[in-house]
Amino acid sequence: GAVVSQHPSRVICKSGTSVKIECRSLDFQATTMFWYRQFPKQSLMLMATSNEGSKATYEQGVEKDKFLINHASLTLSTLTVTSAHPEDSSFYICSARTLRRFSYEQYFGPGTRLTVT
Amino acid sequence: AQSVTQLGSHVSVSEGALVLLRCNYSSSVPPYLFWYVQYPNQGLQLLLKYTTGATLVKGINGFEAEFKKSETSFHLTKPSAHMSDAAEYFCAVIRPNSGGSNYKLTFGKGTLLTVNP
């Protein structure tokens, strides 16, 4: 149980285009989803937290207009990287938390490798 | 604010040897503590967690960790390393955000474990 999927697993796009990454909780309902960014050989950096039906809360320094997050249902959240540039190339990982009150367990997706050329 | 320090960005052991990955935390309130493992180009998998109760927690793949409040530590151990244990390991602690109910993980910088034959 508690499986989180991400699609696509890898994407290459040209500079200036937009890319959408999907994150789905397959066998549970996720009230809260998290988006992380990970640079090579570094830790995960939290970008934003999203609750179903609400606007995402972005961490300091993360551009809201560049990284659009939508959490339209209890099983789906999307991250859109708008007008991507080579410096946006990174490994993006989503994570989902279950509906249980005071739940603290997060389940992670397999990640999406974005390369902007 | 809570933080996590992982001592040693790289640990190398021989197959069959003891694995010890160090994690220290700082927290103004009793924390929840986690160890995650990440294999190359994959998301994170929960190894074990400490919330309350017994301070020695056992996880998957033969790993265990002991919460020592007096030392503010949560070191990860495994008696005998296996080649398949080679991966990146992250220690993490829960901290509440400004909203109070949305607990967010704070990660350490990670420790790369290599296992030599």
Side-chain angles (χ1 to χ4, degrees):
Chain A
V3 178
V4 176
S5 71
Q6 275 184 248
H7 178 79
S9 57
R10 288 180 176 271
V11 58
I12 301 173
C13 70
K14 292 185 183 297
S15 186
T17 61
S18 295
V19 174
K20 180 183 284 189
I21 302 170
E22 289 188 349
C23 175
R24 294 181 184 273
S25 57
L26 298 185
D27 52 2
F28 66 98
Q29 293 183 320
T31 48
T32 305
M33 287 189 172
F34 305 85
W35 285 96
Y36 295 85
R37 184 173 180 177
Q38 186 179 31
F39 292 101
K41 301 187 187 303
Q42 293 189 29
S43 189
L44 281 73
M45 181 191 78
L46 180 64
M47 300 174 66
T49 304
S50 74
N51 291 301
E52 185 262 338
S54 302
K55 289 185 178 180
T57 301
Y58 290 80
E59 295 297 302
Q60 193 170 8
V62 178
E63 298 176 61
K64 301 178 184 182
D65 295 332
K66 181 163 193 59
F67 298 101
L68 301 179
I69 292 172
N70 182 276
H71 191 168
S73 76
L74 285 171
T75 59
L76 173 64
S77 177
T78 60
L79 166 68
T80 302
V81 182
T82 62
S83 187
H85 290 283
E87 57 266 29
D88 298 325
S89 298
S90 191
F91 194 52
Y92 292 88
I93 302 175
C94 74
S95 176
R97 179 182 293 147
T98 63
L99 200 62
R100 294 192 305 269
R101 187 166 179 255
F102 298 130
S103 175
Y104 48 81
E105 294 197 31
Q106 288 181 221
Y107 303 97
F108 288 81
T112 297
R113 174 76 59 192
L114 170 63
T115 304
V116 184
T117 61
Chain B
Q2 302 190 6
S3 67
V4 177
T5 302
Q6 289 184 241
L7 297 174
S9 59
H10 186 197
V11 170
S12 182
V13 301
S14 298
E15 191 173 19
L18 171 71
V19 175
L20 170 61
L21 305 182
R22 299 177 186 275
C23 173
N24 288 86
Y25 68 90
S26 65
S27 173
S28 56
V29 297
Y32 293 164
L33 294 153
F34 304 80
W35 274 99
Y36 286 89
V37 61
Q38 183 180 32
Y39 297 100
N41 295 310
Q42 294 187 28
L44 274 65
Q45 180 181 7
L46 180 66
L47 275 178
L48 48 79
K49 63 181 185 286
Y50 169 78
T51 54
T52 57
T55 57
L56 180 63
V57 292
K58 295 185 184 299
I60 62 171
N61 302 340
F63 285 94
E64 62 182 38
E66 186 171 10
F67 170 60
K68 293 187 176 180
K69 185 177 179 180
S70 61
E71 298 178 9
T72 60
S73 69
F74 191 57
H75 302 329
L76 181 71
T77 61
K78 181 173 180 177
S80 177
H82 192 272
M83 296 295 288
S84 60
D85 295 326
E88 186 88 26
Y89 292 80
F90 292 97
C91 182
V93 62
I94 283 286
R95 65 176 173 91
N97 70 357
S98 58
S101 61
N102 265 341
Y103 298 106
K104 296 193 288 188
L105 284 169
T106 299
F107 286 93
K109 293 191 175 184
T111 298
L112 178 65
L113 175 67
T114 57
V115 182
N116 305 308

